[in-house]
Amino acid sequence: MAKLRGYESALPIALLRAREATMRRFKGHVDATGLTLPQWRVIRALADAGPLDARSLAERCVILPPSLTRIFRALEDKALIETIEAHDARRHTVQLTAAGQALYDRMSGRSEAIYRELEQAFGTENMAELLRLLTLLRETAEAMPTGDVDIIITK
Amino acid sequence: MAKLRGYESALPIALLRAREATMRRFKGHVDATGLTLPQWRVIRALADAGPLDARSLAERCVILPPSLTRIFRALEDKALIETIEAHDARRHTVQLTAAGQALYDRMSGRSEAIYRELEQAFGTENMAELLRLLTLLRETAEAMPTGDVDIIITK
DNA sequence: TATTGTTATACTCTATAACTATA
DNA sequence: TATAGTTATAGAGTATAACAATA
C-alpha cells in the first residue's frame, strides 16, 4: 500500500494548520468582544452582506443549523442582531442592530491592522494568490460529486 | 471606519471554507473507521513520523493537551496506539500498534484516490502552489510576535 | 410533498486553571 | 524552578434524527 503524501503536506491538515497559525493572531482580539469565533463570523457576514437567512449564514460561516439556532439566541440576547420578517415565513432572517454594527466598526480597524501586518510579512502577491487558490479550491470541491453517490445508487 | 475586506476573501474564513469543502470529501471515509477527525489526524501523524510525544502531536494535529489525553485513551482502548517509555519520564510518547498501522494502510489507498481526484479537478500546479503557500503562511505567522506582547508590556 | 428551522440528545472538542510528577 | 502532562470543569460546537411550520 502506497504511503500517503507526507503528513505536513496533506491538504486538509495544511489548511487546518495554516488557519490555526493565522487565527492565533486574531483570537485575542475576538475574545475581547466576549464573542466566540463562530458568533463573530456571523456578525461579520451580516456586516458584509446585510440581512441573511439561516441557510445562507450556515453555509457562509460553516456552522450547522442547530448551532446557528443557539447563536441567534445568544446574539439576540446581547442585542447585536435582530430578526426581521421575510416574505417566506419559514425563513429566519436576521440583521445587525445598531449596537451590532457599532461593535463591528470598533473591531474592523484593529482586524485590518493585524491583517496588513501579516500580509506585509507574507507578501502581497503571495496573499492575493493564496486567496485566489483557496476560493478556486472551494469552488472545485463543491462542484464535484459528493463521493457518497455510489452508496445512494446501490440502494 | 474602513470596511474590512469582503467576507468571502477574509483569510481565516477562506481557509475555513476551503477546508470544509475539502474535508467533506474525506469525511465519510474517516467516519467509516469509527474515529473522529482529530483521532484520525493522530493516527496519520504517527504513521508519517513514527513515535511522537504529546507535545509534538498537539502541535502537528492542532489538538489541545487535554483533548489529546482523552484521544490517547480512546485510541489505546481500541488498541491502535501504545505508549512507549521515553528517556524523559515526563514525556508521554506513543506509537502505532500493528492494528493501528493496518488501519492506516487500509485507509491510505482510498484517501489517495480521493486526493488524486480532487487534484485533477483543481489542477496539479494549483495544488502544488497552494500547498507551498499554506506552509509559507503558517511559517510566517508562527514567526511573527504574538501580538499579545503589547498587553504584557503595558502591565 | 418538499423545504426551512428548531428541538432533542449525546458526544467531542475547546479552553483555562490547578495539580502531579519529573528534570 | 521549570517543564510535560493530566485532571477538573464549564461551555460551545458537532452531528443526527425527529419534529413543527410553511410553501
Side-chain angles (χ1 to χ4, degrees):
Chain A
M1 185 65 66
K3 188 177 180 184
L4 291 176
R5 286 146 292 109
Y7 180 83
E8 302 293 328
S9 62
L11 180 61
I13 289 159
L15 289 164
L16 176 64
R17 294 189 69 186
R19 176 172 154 78
E20 196 280 333
T22 304
M23 275 308 311
R24 192 193 304 261
R25 309 200 61 70
F26 293 92
K27 178 71 167 44
H29 179 223
V30 174
D31 284 348
T33 65
L35 300 180
T36 64
L37 290 172
Q39 288 170 355
W40 172 244
R41 289 201 297 278
V42 170
I43 296 292
R44 220 191 136 164
L46 293 172
D48 183 66
L52 290 171
D53 62 20
R55 160 162 295 200
S56 299
L57 282 167
E59 185 205 329
R60 291 182 197 219
C61 302
V62 189
I63 296 170
L64 292 178
S67 293
L68 196 55
T69 295
R70 280 193 296 275
I71 288 170
F72 280 171
R73 205 145 45 210
L75 295 179
E76 288 196 334
D77 287 350
K78 290 169 185 273
L80 298 173
I81 66 170
E82 60 195 355
T83 297
I84 61 178
E85 71 292 345
H87 295 112
D88 182 339
R90 289 174 303 184
R91 288 195 142 79
H92 188 164
T93 302
V94 297
Q95 66 184 3
L96 291 183
T97 61
Q101 183 66 47
L103 175 65
Y104 173 81
D105 289 342
R106 282 199 304 281
M107 295 285 289
S108 66
R110 179 88 182 103
S111 278
E112 191 67 14
I114 295 171
Y115 178 82
R116 291 296 168 215
E117 187 186 13
L118 181 61
E119 185 181 40
Q120 184 177 345
F122 182 48
T124 304
E125 287 181 22
N126 281 339
M127 187 65 88
E129 178 67 357
L130 176 57
L131 286 168
R132 185 186 75 78
L133 288 169
L134 288 171
T135 302
L136 181 60
L137 173 65
R138 174 168 60 78
E139 290 168 351
T140 301
E142 286 173 352
M144 289 173 69
T146 63
D148 300 336
V149 172
D150 53 346
I151 295 173
I152 294 168
I153 288 173
T154 59
K155 283 200 80 171
Chain B
M1 185 65 66
K3 186 178 180 183
L4 290 176
R5 286 146 292 109
Y7 180 84
E8 303 293 329
S9 62
L11 181 60
I13 290 160
L15 289 164
L16 176 64
R17 294 187 70 185
R19 176 173 153 78
E20 196 279 333
T22 304
M23 275 308 311
R24 193 194 303 259
R25 310 201 60 71
F26 292 93
K27 179 72 168 46
H29 180 222
V30 174
D31 284 348
T33 65
L35 300 180
T36 64
L37 289 172
Q39 288 170 354
W40 172 244
R41 289 201 296 279
V42 170
I43 296 291
R44 221 189 135 164
L46 293 172
D48 183 67
L52 290 171
D53 62 20
R55 161 162 295 198
S56 300
L57 283 167
E59 185 205 328
R60 293 183 194 218
C61 302
V62 188
I63 295 171
L64 293 177
S67 293
L68 196 55
T69 294
R70 279 192 297 276
I71 288 170
F72 280 171
R73 205 144 45 209
L75 295 179
E76 288 197 335
D77 286 350
K78 290 170 185 273
L80 297 174
I81 67 170
E82 59 195 356
T83 298
I84 61 178
E85 71 293 344
H87 295 110
D88 183 339
R90 288 173 304 183
R91 289 197 141 75
H92 189 164
T93 303
V94 298
Q95 65 183 4
L96 290 184
T97 61
Q101 183 66 49
L103 174 65
Y104 173 80
D105 290 342
R106 282 199 305 281
M107 295 286 289
S108 66
R110 179 88 182 104
S111 279
E112 191 66 15
I114 295 170
Y115 178 81
R116 291 296 169 215
E117 186 186 13
L118 181 61
E119 185 181 39
Q120 184 178 344
F122 183 47
T124 304
E125 286 181 23
N126 281 338
M127 187 65 87
E129 177 67 357
L130 176 57
L131 286 168
R132 184 185 75 79
L133 288 169
L134 288 172
T135 301
L136 180 61
L137 173 66
R138 174 168 60 79
E139 289 169 352
T140 301
E142 286 173 352
M144 289 173 71
T146 62
D148 300 335
V149 173
D150 54 346
I151 294 173
I152 294 169
I153 289 173
T154 59
K155 282 200 82 169

